[in-house]
Amino acid sequence: MRTTCTAIRSRTRLRLAGALAAVLVAAGVATGPAAQAGEERHGRDSTLAELAQRHGRYFGSATDNPELTDGAYTALLGREFDQITPGNGMKWYATEPQQGVFDWSAGDEIVDLARANHQKVRGHTLVWHSQLPDWLTGRDWTADELRAVLKKHIQAEVRHYRGKVFAWDVVNEAFNEDGTYRETVFYNTLGPGYIADALRWAHEADPRVKLYLNDYNIEAVGPKSDAYYRLAKDLRAQGVPLHGIGLQTHLALQYGYPTTLEDNLRRFARLGLDTALTEVDVRMELPADETKLATQADWYRQLTEDCLAVRRCVGITLWDYTDKYSWIPGFFPGEGAALPWDEQLRPKPAYFAIREALGGR
Ligand code: G3I
C-alpha cells in the first residue's frame, strides 16, 4: 500500500514537473537540465498537435515563404503543429506566372519543410478571384478558352502535388455575404457550373486527395453558409466529388462569436462532408489589453471545443501562429493581435485556452 502511495505521489510529482516544464518551455523560459529531462518525458506529448491527435484531429498553421529564414519561427512551427498550409505559395499568381509556364518553387519549399517536420499539407488554393496572374485578368476570355485555361491550371497543380497534399481548397470564396454567387471572372464567363467542373477536374488529377470549398464568414448559420449547404447538397446529389467545407474562421471580437458554429458543422456532417477550420484568427481593435486577450482566449477555447464536438470536423489551422506574421494589420488598419503567440513568439492566453480545450494543461 505504502509502495503504491509513494508511486502515485512520485507520478504526480513527475506530472506536475512535466506540466511546469511544458509551461516554462512554451513561455520561452530557459530551463535547466532537470527540467529539460522533464520536457523529454512529458513535453513531447504536450504540443498542440499531439493533444489534437488524441482526438483524431490535426492542429496546424499557415506559413509563408519569406518567413522561413526566421529560425526561431520555423523551430516553433515545426515543433507545435502537425499540419501546415502555404499562405501564398500555391496560389495561381505564384504557380502559373505566365500562361502555361508553371513555377512550383514556393509551394515545393513548403512541402519540403512539412516533410522534414512530419507535417501534412493543405493545398491552398486552385480557383480564387484574388491573386490571379496579370495574363489572366488582363484580357477577355470566351467560355471555351477560360474552361481550357482553368482545367489545365487545376490539373497541372493537382498532379504536381499528388501524394504531397492531403486536401485542396479547390474553390475559394465563391459566394457573397447574401448567399448569391460572387461575380468573378470564372462565374461571369462560365456560370455556376465552374465549381462542379473544378471539383471533377481536380478529382481526375488525384482521385485520393480531399476536395474542399473554402470561405470566410460561413462559421455561423446564415445566408452565406446556407448557400454552401444548398450547393453542397446539390453537388453530392449529382455525385460531384466534394469531400469537405473549409470554414476560414477569421473572427473579430467586435462582431461577436458565431454561436451556431457547432450546429453548422453538424449539418455539413449530416451531408456526409468533412469540415475544417482552415484559417483561424481572432482579431481585435488595438491596443490589446488583458480583457480583450481573455475574451480572445475564450473564443479560441470555444472554437476548439466546437470542432471537437463534431466528429467530421477534422482539424484546425491557424492563419499563421504568431502576430509577427499576421495578415491582419496590413488589411485592417488599427486591428491585430489575432493569433495565439505574440510578436516575440511568446504564448498568449489563447494558446493556453486551446491547450485546455484539447485536454492538455
Ligand atoms: O509578392 C509581393 C511582393 O513582391 C511585394 O514586395 C509586397 C509588398 O507589399 O507584396 C507582396 O505581395 C503580398 C502577398 O500577400 C505575398 O506576400 C500582397 O501585398 C499581400 O496583399 C498578400 O496578402 C495575402 C492575402 O491573402 C491576399 O489576399 C496574405 O499574405 C495571405 O495571408 C492572405 O490569405 C487569404 C487566404 O488566401 C484566403 N482567405 C483570406 C486570407 C486573408 O486575406
Side-chain angles (χ1 to χ4, degrees):
M1 184 63 181
R2 203 171 332 144
T3 319
T4 315
C5 285
T6 312
I8 289 172
R9 269 202 303 275
S10 101
R11 269 204 304 275
T12 308
R13 267 199 304 273
L14 263 179
R15 271 203 298 272
L16 287 173
L20 180 63
V23 167
L24 290 174
V25 166
V29 175
T31 50
Q36 273 160 18
E39 191 208 349
E40 285 297 303
R41 284 194 299 274
H42 301 282
R44 268 197 59 73
D45 67 332
S46 69
T47 66
L48 295 187
E50 283 167 339
L51 292 171
Q53 282 164 17
R54 293 183 194 165
H55 302 272
R57 312 304 209 279
Y58 61 81
F59 209 100
S61 171
T63 187
D64 206 358
N65 303 78
E67 304 159 18
L68 302 183
T69 53
D70 178 342
Y73 166 84
T74 51
L76 214 154
L77 181 72
R79 192 167 69 229
E80 196 74 34
F81 303 100
D82 57 355
Q83 179 273 320
I84 56 177
T85 305
N88 288 298
M90 292 186 186
K91 291 173 178 175
W92 202 321
Y93 81 107
T95 52
E96 195 180 357
Q98 294 168 51
Q99 187 172 1
V101 179
F102 295 94
D103 179 353
W104 310 117
S105 52
D108 286 356
E109 192 184 10
I110 304 291
V111 167
D112 291 347
L113 179 72
R115 183 176 296 158
N117 289 320
H118 311 289
Q119 294 162 319
K120 49 190 195 170
V121 179
R122 288 194 89 252
H124 175 81
T125 172
L126 299 170
V127 189
W128 191 27
H129 62 275
S130 184
Q131 291 177 290
L132 290 169
D134 292 342
W135 62 263
L136 200 160
T137 52
R139 52 158 286 190
D140 292 330
W141 301 91
T142 67
D144 282 348
E145 286 169 344
L146 190 61
R147 187 171 289 112
V149 161
L150 189 60
K151 180 175 182 185
K152 184 170 177 180
H153 177 76
I154 290 173
Q155 296 207 317
E157 183 152 9
V158 173
R159 267 192 211 111
H160 179 80
Y161 288 112
R162 189 162 42 195
K164 296 177 177 166
V165 307
F166 74 99
W168 270 111
D169 289 330
V170 177
V171 180
N172 195 40
E173 302 176 4
F175 286 105
N176 295 314
E177 295 305 296
D178 64 0
T180 56
Y181 281 98
R182 189 192 284 271
E183 298 205 354
T184 66
V185 60
F186 307 109
Y187 177 81
N188 289 339
T189 315
L190 303 171
Y194 84 91
I195 297 177
D197 284 340
L199 290 162
R200 289 194 184 101
W201 292 328
H203 186 65
E204 245 174 57
D206 181 356
R208 296 216 178 125
V209 74
K210 300 280 185 203
L211 303 180
Y212 280 68
L213 304 177
N214 189 54
D215 214 325
Y216 60 90
N217 281 353
I218 59 165
E219 294 72 39
V221 173
K224 197 173 183 182
S225 61
D226 289 351
Y228 277 96
Y229 183 75
R230 281 193 303 271
L231 174 63
K233 199 169 174 185
D234 232 50
L235 292 172
R236 299 282 296 176
Q238 293 170 47
V240 175
L242 170 69
H243 309 112
I245 302 292
L247 297 85
Q248 293 183 8
T249 321
H250 293 294
L251 305 181
L253 289 189
Q254 64 272 27
Y255 301 134
Y257 186 80
T259 52
T260 49
L261 175 56
E262 185 186 326
D263 291 344
N264 198 26
L265 295 172
R266 249 181 235 297
R267 70 173 169 161
F268 286 110
R270 280 197 296 269
L271 292 181
L273 291 169
D274 287 344
T275 49
L277 309 186
T278 54
E279 304 184 13
V280 177
D281 45 31
V282 180
R283 63 186 190 268
M284 61 186 68
E285 284 161 356
L286 297 172
D289 61 30
E290 226 175 275
T291 312
K292 289 183 208 170
L293 291 173
T295 308
Q296 179 188 55
D298 279 345
W299 287 30
Y300 270 103
R301 182 197 325 276
Q302 191 57 55
L303 68 88
T304 304
E305 286 173 3
D306 286 345
C307 180
L308 292 182
V310 180
R311 197 180 51 81
R312 298 290 302 253
C313 181
V314 297
I316 299 177
T317 309
L318 306 173
W319 204 240
D320 227 317
Y321 70 84
T322 157
D323 293 334
K324 187 172 184 181
Y325 296 122
S326 173
W327 68 292
I328 299 287
F331 280 74
F332 298 98
E335 296 181 46
L339 294 162
W341 278 264
D342 72 11
E343 290 184 21
Q344 281 75 44
L345 308 186
R346 289 178 307 216
K348 293 155 65 176
Y351 166 77
F352 297 101
I354 297 170
R355 295 183 59 83
E356 274 173 28
L358 291 171
R361 279 179 293 178

